[in-house]
Amino acid sequence: MLRSLASFITTLVSFLSQNAASIALDVHDTQSILEAASLTARNVVDLYNGNETGGILGKWPFPPYYWWESGGAWGGLMEYWHYTGDETYVDVMQEGLIVQLGPNNDFVVPAEAFDTGSDDQAFWVFVAMSAAEYSFPQLPAPYPSWLQIVNNAWEDYVSRWNSSLCNGGLKWQFNPQNAGYHYKNSISNGAFFQLSARLARFTGDQTYMRWADTIWNWASGIGLVDNIYNVFDGTDEMVNCTGVDHHQWTYNVGVFLYGAAVLQNYTDGSSPWIERTAGLLDSTNTFISPFRNASNILFEAECEISMTCNVDQLSMKAYLIRWMAATSKMAPFTAGRIGEVLRASAQGAAAACTGGANNTTCGSKWYVDGWDGTTGLGQQLSALEVMYALLVNQTNPPATYPNVSILPAPPLPTITVTATEGLPTASGVARPLHDGAAAVIQSKAQNKIRPLVAALFTSLTVT
Ligand SMILES: *[C@@H]1O[C@H](CO)[C@@H](O)[C@H](O)[C@H]1NC(C)=O
Ligand SMILES: *[C@@H]1O[C@H](CO)[C@@H](O)[C@H](O)[C@H]1NC(C)=O
Ligand SMILES: *[C@@H]1O[C@H](CO)[C@@H](O)[C@H](O)[C@H]1NC(C)=O
Ligand SMILES: *[C@@H]1O[C@H](CO)[C@@H](O)[C@H](O)[C@H]1NC(C)=O
Ligand SMILES: *[C@@H]1O[C@H](CO)[C@@H](O)[C@H](O)[C@H]1NC(C)=O
Ligand SMILES: *[C@@H]1O[C@H](CO)[C@@H](O)[C@H](O)[C@H]1NC(C)=O
Ligand SMILES: *[C@@H]1O[C@H](CO)[C@@H](O)[C@H](O)[C@H]1NC(C)=O
Ligand SMILES: *[C@@H]1O[C@H](CO)[C@@H](O)[C@H](O)[C@H]1NC(C)=O
Ligand SMILES: *[C@@H]1O[C@H](CO)[C@@H](O)[C@H](O)[C@H]1NC(C)=O
């Protein structure tokens, strides 16, 4: 946490009173970053109506924001609190989270049954996991500790693991009435993986470690993660997981990346997690540098350039950024590369946050040197996360129990960032030509994989 908070607040007050117009960001100046982060956090909270007449505590308005995205937004504010030390939103966060905890204190809320899959729940659980790791104030009695809340949800996932088909995996939906009950997707399984990794590192309990291994082995075995670490959207038990939906979204690679980084940290920088961390980081290149004039800037490759992202998709970059920043902490060998991406993206985002009545509304494209005319929670949240993320080298790492020992990173890790050898090979059945080693040139060098993916996409009917 930053020591300069008092002087930051003084500066901020004078900054805001000057009728703040646009975000003047100097990515090398802590004060400037704090101001930009504060402004973007305010923009996120300005969209929250849960504590106003007609609103529901804990929720951003639906429509257009599904319940999961509110979890995503609290998650961004949780990270913001940790990275900046700004206490402004602590009360409103606690108040909102309590109401959405559900009767079993696991973020399964009866009123949201229609739109809660394992992934939706996970975006709330991530808030509690970070709260535990960062020593965010505990909820008042009778609510359990943050760690207990995470464990409650984790046990839900264990009970939902389903080996009746596909040799394992979590279904997207756990309620048989919901469309998607037969789909086994990367974000649900990746969330279970990442939470297992974080719980293993936090507690030192090997049960979590064994589950992290099981989930990784399943996801890579079935082809959700391929041998060059592309992470695809999902697969379906109706075809016994012999086909894969090859759409690629930022948050899917992000969720596995951070889980792998946590495990490489917990296992002292050893194989296989160090190679997997490096490989997944390399795979994020699919979502970086959309044009020659946009070096190192993040974008949502499936839909952003064509402006066809839906409301959910507009927020996904936020989570990749959150997990990349956190990865640079857990796996110091990644910090140089991730720092480049964060700085270029933040600069682009600052330029994109110049719309609306206050000249601070953020657009979705961070490479057009201005606002792209779009507005929404996803755009604001992505900008918030890329701003606070610049402070990653000044934050404390996630805590562990005192009896868990975390060793320093090996001085010169010997990993090849494009490692493709000796890794599990995904199921041959499901894989079109653009998968695997043959795809390296197309997917990595030019980010031209999208049209190809659309053309070759193995269609899976979800009924
Ligand atoms: C927003 O920018 C426009 C154009 O530069 C300027 O005229 C206007 O005063 C700004 N509004 C605020 C609230 O700063
Ligand atoms: C809701 O919470 C926000 C953030 O703390 C605060 O700025 C706003 O005034 C609150 N609204 C009401 C009606 O209490
Ligand atoms: C596992 O999936 C099968 C097939 O869809 C279903 O009948 C069964 O209830 C599921 N088991 C669990 C624990 O969800
Ligand atoms: C489903 O796939 C698994 C491997 O993932 C295989 O072991 C199993 O026999 C298959 N089941 C059916 C019914 O085809
Ligand atoms: C964090 O520190 C590393 C090592 O000095 C550096 O390469 C990286 O750019 C820094 N990250 C940020 C976001 O400043
Ligand atoms: C402008 O800023 C004020 C104060 O934060 C906020 O209440 C208002 O919603 C903002 N307007 C827009 C269009 O962002
Ligand atoms: C960058 O290049 C793209 C594609 O050539 C173009 O559409 C965009 O306007 C350029 N951006 C800037 C800031 O010049
Ligand atoms: C480590 O500490 C935790 C919390 O105090 C305790 O529950 C656990 O049993 C301890 N583990 C070992 C191996 O001593
Ligand atoms: C684990 O993370 C800590 C905190 O950032 C870092 O100091 C340490 O070097 C990391 N260890 C490994 C093995 O990556």
Side-chain angles (χ1 to χ4, degrees):
M1 204 152 305
L2 294 156
R3 283 167 292 276
S4 56
L5 185 65
S7 75
F8 154 57
I9 287 171
T10 318
T11 316
L12 184 64
V13 168
S14 64
F15 172 79
L16 290 175
S17 61
Q18 291 161 14
N19 191 10
S22 81
I23 299 179
L25 175 68
D26 175 350
V27 297
H28 300 287
D29 180 69
T30 300
Q31 210 63 27
S32 170
I33 296 167
L34 284 167
E35 285 161 9
S38 165
L39 200 59
T40 47
R42 170 48 65 184
N43 283 345
V44 165
V45 173
D46 279 345
L47 294 173
Y48 177 60
N49 74 338
N51 59 351
E52 283 161 24
T53 313
I56 298 171
L57 280 171
K59 291 179 58 167
W60 271 254
F62 171 81
Y65 306 116
Y66 283 108
W67 179 76
W68 81 278
E69 196 170 342
S70 295
W74 294 125
L77 290 167
M78 176 63 70
E79 304 299 320
Y80 169 76
W81 170 82
H82 175 66
Y83 280 67
T84 66
D86 181 356
E87 308 271 353
T88 308
Y89 306 114
V90 170
D91 291 343
V92 76
M93 288 166 73
Q94 290 210 335
E95 175 188 57
L97 291 165
I98 284 174
V99 173
Q100 300 300 324
L101 260 182
N104 300 322
N105 296 317
D106 59 355
F107 292 116
V108 174
V109 181
E112 301 293 340
F114 78 100
D115 70 345
T116 308
S118 284
D119 52 352
D120 303 84
Q121 178 186 8
F123 278 86
W124 292 84
V125 183
F126 291 135
V127 191
M129 188 73 231
S130 289
E133 290 165 336
Y134 301 159
S135 305
F136 188 75
Q138 296 289 350
L139 298 176
Y143 301 104
S145 69
W146 295 117
L147 190 66
Q148 184 63 54
I149 292 167
V150 177
N151 193 62
N152 292 345
W154 185 84
E155 284 177 359
D156 294 342
Y157 292 138
V158 170
S159 75
R160 291 174 200 156
W161 187 259
N162 195 318
S163 299
S164 73
L165 284 163
C166 306
N167 208 22
L170 277 187
K171 295 168 192 261
W172 174 27
Q173 300 294 326
F174 55 89
N175 179 346
Q177 274 77 55
N178 287 353
Y181 178 66
H182 299 290
Y183 194 56
K184 293 190 168 177
N185 61 351
S186 282
I187 192 64
S188 297
N189 285 282
F192 184 25
F193 166 70
Q194 190 194 100
L195 289 165
S196 299
R198 291 166 76 176
L199 286 166
R201 181 181 174 278
F202 191 106
T203 64
D205 184 334
Q206 291 306 303
T207 309
Y208 298 122
M209 188 71 209
R210 281 192 294 274
W211 269 100
D213 277 325
T214 298
I215 303 158
W216 176 275
N217 291 342
W218 178 79
S220 56
I222 217 79
L224 290 181
V225 182
D226 78 2
N227 62 333
I228 56 166
Y229 297 99
N230 290 310
V231 182
F232 302 114
D233 191 67
T235 181
D236 201 300
E237 69 173 11
M238 298 304 267
V239 294
N240 196 23
C241 295
T242 56
V244 170
D245 174 338
H246 285 97
H247 284 90
Q248 294 185 62
W249 301 103
T250 47
Y251 73 169
N252 285 328
V253 66
V255 77
F256 279 101
L257 170 64
Y258 185 48
V262 167
L263 292 175
Q264 89 78 43
N265 189 267
Y266 178 57
T267 58
D268 311 332
S270 62
S271 284
W273 295 109
I274 193 162
E275 287 85 0
R276 291 172 182 169
T277 304
L280 288 161
L281 178 61
D282 189 44
S283 169
T284 63
N285 285 329
T286 300
F287 307 102
I288 295 170
S289 305
F291 302 110
R292 280 183 207 287
N293 62 7
S295 244
N296 293 330
I297 298 182
L298 279 167
F299 74 117
E300 193 62 67
E302 292 280 3
C303 60
E304 191 177 293
I305 290 166
S306 57
M307 300 196 90
T308 52
C309 299
N310 68 24
V311 170
D312 287 347
Q313 292 156 0
L314 283 164
S315 78
M316 288 177 183
K317 275 197 307 239
Y319 319 115
L320 175 57
I321 294 161
R322 182 190 304 174
W323 293 324
M324 283 178 89
T327 292
S328 81
K329 196 92 199 161
M330 286 290 93
F333 77 89
T334 65
R337 170 64 184 145
I338 291 175
E340 289 174 346
V341 173
L342 296 179
R343 281 188 295 273
S345 298
Q347 201 70 73
C353 292
T354 49
N358 299 334
N359 295 336
T360 58
T361 297
C362 301
S364 65
K365 296 182 176 182
W366 293 348
Y367 39 82
V368 294
D369 202 18
W371 181 46
D372 67 8
T374 71
T375 60
L377 180 56
Q379 290 93 317
Q380 301 299 348
L381 184 64
S382 299
L384 165 63
E385 306 225 23
V386 79
M387 296 305 168
Y388 75 64
L390 294 171
L391 301 169
V392 66
N393 288 335
Q394 302 162 60
T395 57
N396 292 325
T400 68
Y401 281 164
N403 57 9
V404 175
S405 95
I406 300 292
L407 298 183
L412 290 168
T414 49
I415 26 139
T416 42
V417 175
T418 47
T420 58
E421 283 166 16
L423 300 163
T425 310
S427 130
V429 190
R431 300 163 58 71
L433 294 174
H434 64 275
D435 287 356
V440 174
I441 295 160
Q442 277 154 341
S443 65
K444 302 303 171 188
Q446 301 167 33
N447 283 313
K448 287 285 165 49
I449 196 167
R450 266 70 50 191
L452 202 61
V453 168
L456 297 177
F457 164 52
T458 315
S459 185
L460 295 168
T461 316
V462 178
T463 49

